[in-house]
């Protein structure tokens, strides 16, 4: 496995969510070593975390076969990221004030790795001056905090203090594990998801885009150090960690306005959204009632955002389009790339199983202006995004003076 995460679990009701975190990380081929405080073991059994991580779980329980003074240093060194989830007021306070009185706090003090904390506690505790001062102090030392959510807490209070969901926590950890700086200083605009074209207050026309591909593209750009603007239609995806600007849109017109006003300042524009080509000419203010016979809805063309961005493209700007095709994939994609003045086009055959809408995988060809085709096998959309940026980096490496 490529990366090592040490997960510190402290004693809060959210400790059970640590199981989900371990499971998600191991599925992403991250090795996880778990350290539990004594009170964490009251909430969740070490055996569960041991089975999920496939590693011995370190606790403060008496163990004659365990050389803890050596083990804590080796774990501290091994960690690429040290995650504390859930992080109680106690561990935050101990770390902020240099207290090392158990296995977890001792290992934490001995590590030089990136530390990420996901607090979970009662709202009043979270908002208390003591905890807030400790958080500030740790942030100044470079500790990353994943803000808790607002909601119904285990103590029946409603407020801030619920630990972030495991998906977001894992997303944050993966981001920090894989951070590079290839795109540092670059501004990247990504569009994602479907558009919604209103017919009347209760009906609309949309498409099957889930936004998964675009969100992975945005994540990859953030991971490479870019300043990322994500313009997205309605999806059930979580806003990726580290996005600089997130704009939620509904219609093709909304997306057009959002893109066109920002395009000029961008270095790279990647249009993975599935934008409606047509919208109802009349949007009824009241619900259309049924009547005898058939009905038809007149549609008019929307802006072809990618085409217009291509027309206004400045020198050294990289423009990438997506082509979801069902027939003559390469031929159609290449002609789309030329017509829209793109630098790269990502073409996929949406009829293939494992490609296209709604799934986590894709099968694509990445085509450049010289007509060279990179054929990628079935792979996770995150890997497609990585390959796409590898290709973009190749364009940066080439002499780019002759690009329009
Ligand atoms: N696109 C866009 N604005 C539109 C329609 C599409 O910016 N109104 C962008 C998409 O985000 C995608 C690319 O254009 O990057 C390809 O979209 P597609 O609908 O497949 O292309 P079209 O040119 O509309 O071709 P056709 O409908 O003939 O397949």
């Amino acid at each position: 496995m490529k990366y090592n995460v040490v997960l510190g679990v402290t004693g809060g009701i959210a400790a059970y969510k640590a199981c989900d975190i371990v499971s998600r990380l191991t599925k992403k081929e991250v090795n996880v070593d778990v350290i539990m405080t004594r009170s964490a073991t009251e909430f969740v059994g070490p055996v569960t975390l041991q089975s999920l991580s496939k590693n011995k779980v370190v606790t403060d329980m008496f163990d004659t076969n365990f050389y803890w003074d050596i083990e804590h240093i080796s774990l501290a060194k091994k960690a690429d990221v040290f995650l504390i989830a859930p992080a109680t007021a106690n561990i935050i306070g101990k770390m902020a004030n240099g207290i090392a009185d158990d296995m977890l706090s001792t290992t934490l003090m001995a590590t030089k790795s990136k530390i990420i904390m996901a607090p979970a506690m009662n709202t009043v505790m979270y908002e208390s001056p003591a905890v807030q001062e400790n958080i500030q102090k740790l942030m100044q030392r470079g500790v990353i905090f994943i803000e808790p959510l607002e909601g119904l807490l285990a103590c029946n209070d409603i407020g801030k203090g619920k630990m972030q969901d495991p998906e977001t926590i894992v997303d944050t950890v993966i981001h920090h594990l894989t951070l590079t700086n290839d795109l540092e200083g670059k501004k990247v605009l990504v569009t994602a998801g479907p558009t919604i074209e209103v017919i009347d207050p209760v009906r609309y026309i949309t498409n099957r885009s889930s936004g998964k591909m675009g969100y992975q593209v945005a994540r990859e750009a953030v991971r490479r150090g870019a300043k990322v603007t994500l313009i997205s239609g309605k999806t059930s995806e979580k806003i990726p960690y580290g996005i600089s600007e997130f704009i939620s849109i509904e219609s093709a017109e909304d997306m057009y306005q959002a893109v066109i006003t920002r395009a000029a300042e961008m270095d790279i524009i990647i249009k993975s959204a599935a934008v409606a080509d047509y919208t109802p000419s009349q949007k009824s203010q009241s619900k259309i009632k049924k009547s005898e016979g058939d009905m038809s809805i007149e549609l008019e063309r929307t802006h072809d955002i990618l085409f217009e961005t291509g027309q206004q493209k400045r020198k050294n700007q990289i423009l990438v389009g997506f082509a979801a095709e069902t027939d003559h994939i390469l031929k159609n994609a290449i002609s789309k790339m030329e017509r829209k003045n793109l630098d790269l086009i990502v073409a996929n055959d949406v009829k293939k199983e494992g490609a296209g809408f709604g799934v986590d995988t894709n099968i694509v060809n990445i085509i450049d202006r010289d007509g060279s085709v990179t054929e990628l096998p079935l792979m996770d959309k995150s890997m497609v995004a990585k390959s796409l940026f590898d290709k973009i980096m190749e364009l940066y490496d080439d002499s780019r003076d002759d690009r329009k």
Side-chain angles (χ1 to χ4, degrees), residues 184-235:
E184 204 175 330
K186 295 270 185 280
K187 287 186 177 174
V188 177
L189 186 151
V190 180
T191 69
T195 55
I196 286 176
E197 305 304 322
V198 167
I199 299 169
D200 71 12
V202 293
R203 303 176 180 98
Y204 56 75
I205 302 169
T206 188
N207 60 64
R208 296 175 61 190
S209 169
S210 62
K212 286 177 189 289
M213 189 65 245
Y215 277 59
Q216 290 295 4
V217 168
R219 261 188 203 106
E220 181 64 21
V222 171
R223 205 170 281 157
R224 291 184 186 233
K227 199 162 175 281
V228 180
T229 297
L230 176 59
I231 302 174
S232 174
K234 295 260 172 299
T235 77

Side-chain angles (χ1 to χ4, degrees), residues 315-316 395 398-404:
K315 209 172 173 180
N316 293 341
L395 297 186
D398 296 346
S399 155
R400 310 187 49 246
D401 290 346
D402 52 354
R403 184 169 299 125
K404 250 181 64 196

Side-chain angles (χ1 to χ4, degrees), residues 191 252 271-277 301-307 320-325 336 339-340 345:
T191 69
K271 292 229 62 229
S272 46
V275 187
D277 289 321
R301 280 296 305 267
T302 55
H303 287 279
D304 186 331
I305 310 167
L306 190 56
F307 177 82
V320 182
F322 273 69
E325 304 285 352
K336 211 170 272 184
R339 204 169 61 243
K340 300 195 183 193
I345 191 151

